[in-house]
Amino acid sequence: MGWRTAAVAAVLCTSAVGTSAFAAEASSSSPSSSYGFAPDARPIEGATQPTEAETLQPGGSYRSSLPRAATRYYRLELDADSNAYVSATAVPRTDDKLSLSDGLKVSVRTPDGHSCSTQTARFGASGSPHPITASGARTTSPRTPLCTDGGTYYVVVERVGTADSPGGDWDLELTAATEPGLRQTGEATAPRSWDSATPAPPTGEARSRPGGPGFAQAASLGPGVWRTGLSPGQTLFYRVPVDWGQQLSATAELDPAAGDARGYTADALDLTLYNPVRAPVEDTDRGYDGSRRAAALAPVPPVDYRNRYTGIPRVKGMRFAGSYFLAVHLSAAVADDFGDGPFGLILRVRIKGAAQDGPGYAGQSVPRNLFQVSPRERATGVDLGSGSGDTAMRALAVGGIGAGTVLLAVLGGWTLTARRRAAVQMRARAQNPTA
């Protein structure tokens, strides 16, 4: 047992080192650092007319750009059975002077120009440059009969605003995903009632958890109380696994400013919830006057496939299990009155309810398992929220993917060693049956 104890200790040590390095990297990053694009994002040129559009493959991540007052087209090739979702994240220049009207519009259209969905995202009253995301969908619901056929569809990404909008191009991150149909169709109505009372935020000692710079590099987060630093102009991303039947709530709190600085920044602290296909679900913001401020998401329902049948956006968005995203932004204008920070940020995350069975998909999503919470994520969430669980799982939860890989390698080594020993013993017995 001694060698196993040493191996676990090595894993824990690796996890601690990885976590410290991540924290150091996050704390040293500049508020003006670029958005964290997916490392495997492929470059794609947005077309100026549909006939020249390049294809977005489901499961892929793409990087493009969007000039001022421009419209760009991308192609989707879809079957008649799957729902399809696209997202576009616009990243303005950090020195852009933005207005309330500046934003991003995403539509999915048929070849004859019929709109299957349209969504617009804007930067808000603060005008602080930060990543914003809008999404589109082609669903096979009878409620959109003109969008149920298989074939070619077009994703239309537009930059909206006024003639005074910044002139530089915005970077774009694009994703596409598909959701299979169900083995058996059920009632096509949304749940009639759910617990919409505002839950009490979790309490307890806050644990350190630096955020990631983008969706693809979002830091994993379970229920509990978490602390990090946030500088003016910076946006942090977190990934929270939420299973079928579970209800998520979250609050972001900004610590008081140091010293006796006075002033007020409107819409200073912004908290946005996105679902697994990066569609915005709920958004809230709070002004900042140097005292402690909190931005709490309005209550959202438990995750339920039937939520898609409502017209209420924050209910409709809670339509699948998987990794939900929390994006926290601190307005660049906060620095004018209260300094460059970083300011202490506390995130309070609660997940209510036990996991339930899913709706029974007839196939796989693309990317695979997008609408599932894996056993590892389930164990991580329970451990992070309650403080229970064994030491090795705690190392996995805190250390992330890298430490998890090391732990799996160690466990695999134990298994391989045991099999080799058994094989040696069997050969020895075969050669000497009387032994």
Side-chain angles (χ1 to χ4, degrees):
M1 294 298 290
W3 65 276
R4 295 190 183 188
T5 303
V8 171
V11 172
L12 299 181
C13 226
T14 303
S15 174
V17 170
T19 303
S20 298
F22 182 24
E25 180 182 354
S27 63
S28 64
S29 62
S30 164
S32 61
S33 60
S34 61
Y35 171 81
F37 286 87
D40 59 350
R42 288 173 278 175
I44 188 170
E45 187 76 20
T48 57
Q49 53 186 345
T51 56
E52 299 175 353
E54 295 184 54
T55 300
L56 300 175
Q57 297 291 344
S61 295
Y62 299 85
R63 186 164 180 173
S64 191
S65 62
L66 188 63
R68 181 176 65 179
T71 299
R72 292 293 181 262
Y73 294 88
Y74 307 87
R75 183 191 304 265
L76 288 174
E77 296 294 339
L78 305 176
D79 60 34
D81 302 315
S82 303
N83 297 318
Y85 305 94
V86 294
S87 74
T89 298
V91 185
R93 296 167 53 93
T94 56
D95 57 354
D96 277 351
K97 303 299 182 183
L98 301 167
S99 69
L100 181 62
S101 63
D102 287 318
L104 178 73
K105 182 179 179 180
V106 174
S107 306
V108 176
R109 299 178 188 171
T110 63
D112 60 2
H114 178 79
S115 178
C116 303
S117 72
T118 300
Q119 185 179 75
T120 301
R122 301 186 190 275
F123 291 98
S126 71
S128 180
H130 67 284
I132 59 171
T133 301
S135 66
R138 190 297 305 254
T139 65
T140 58
S141 169
R143 301 185 182 192
T144 55
L146 297 179
C147 298
T148 56
D149 293 338
T152 299
Y153 290 81
Y154 293 101
V155 179
V156 186
V157 182
E158 303 173 67
R159 186 165 155 180
V160 298
T162 66
D164 296 329
S165 294
D169 290 4
W170 292 347
D171 287 333
L172 283 180
E173 182 174 64
L174 300 160
T175 64
T178 58
E179 176 192 30
L182 302 182
R183 290 193 295 268
Q184 294 182 341
T185 57
E187 183 181 4
T189 58
R192 290 183 173 84
S193 63
W194 50 275
D195 184 3
S196 59
T198 302
T203 59
E205 184 177 354
R207 288 166 283 178
S208 176
R209 193 61 170 151
F215 284 104
Q217 302 175 40
S220 59
L221 205 65
V225 185
W226 308 95
R227 172 179 287 277
T228 189
L230 183 64
S231 298
Q234 190 176 22
T235 305
L236 300 178
F237 289 79
Y238 292 91
R239 179 192 304 265
V240 184
V242 187
D243 218 329
W244 299 105
Q246 293 186 323
Q247 190 172 16
L248 170 68
S249 61
T251 300
E253 296 179 8
L254 198 63
D255 283 351
D260 57 356
R262 296 180 180 276
Y264 182 78
T265 304
D267 297 335
L269 180 64
D270 185 88
L271 175 64
T272 307
L273 173 66
Y274 298 91
N275 68 19
V277 296
R278 304 188 185 181
V281 176
E282 179 67 21
D283 179 84
T284 185
D285 55 66
R286 287 292 181 272
Y288 188 62
D289 60 2
S291 62
R292 182 178 299 278
R293 291 290 179 176
L297 294 174
V300 293
V303 172
D304 193 311
Y305 185 89
R306 294 180 299 147
N307 286 336
R308 67 190 62 209
Y309 300 124
T310 183
I312 305 172
R314 66 185 175 93
V315 176
K316 193 173 186 176
M318 305 300 294
R319 62 199 294 166
F320 6 64
S323 290
Y324 282 71
F325 298 91
L326 293 172
V328 190
H329 175 71
L330 184 61
S331 172
V334 169
D336 295 340
D337 291 322
F338 305 104
D340 294 332
F343 297 81
L345 174 72
I346 293 179
L347 283 172
R348 302 182 187 273
V349 177
R350 183 182 294 280
I351 297 178
K352 179 182 177 181
Q356 300 175 3
D357 292 335
Y361 285 121
Q364 259 292 348
S365 65
V366 182
R368 192 175 181 85
N369 300 327
L370 180 63
F371 306 119
Q372 297 179 19
V373 174
S374 69
R376 183 186 69 82
E377 289 173 320
R378 246 184 234 113
T380 299
V382 169
D383 181 62
L384 289 176
S386 65
S388 61
D390 60 36
T391 306
M393 183 54 74
R394 267 197 295 276
L396 175 63
V398 175
I401 298 298
T405 303
V406 175
L407 179 58
L408 290 175
V410 172
L411 295 176
W414 294 346
T415 303
L416 182 59
T417 300
R419 288 177 177 173
R420 286 176 176 172
R421 287 179 177 174
V424 170
Q425 292 173 355
M426 290 177 66
R427 287 197 297 268
R429 288 173 183 167
Q431 295 170 1
N432 187 11
T434 60

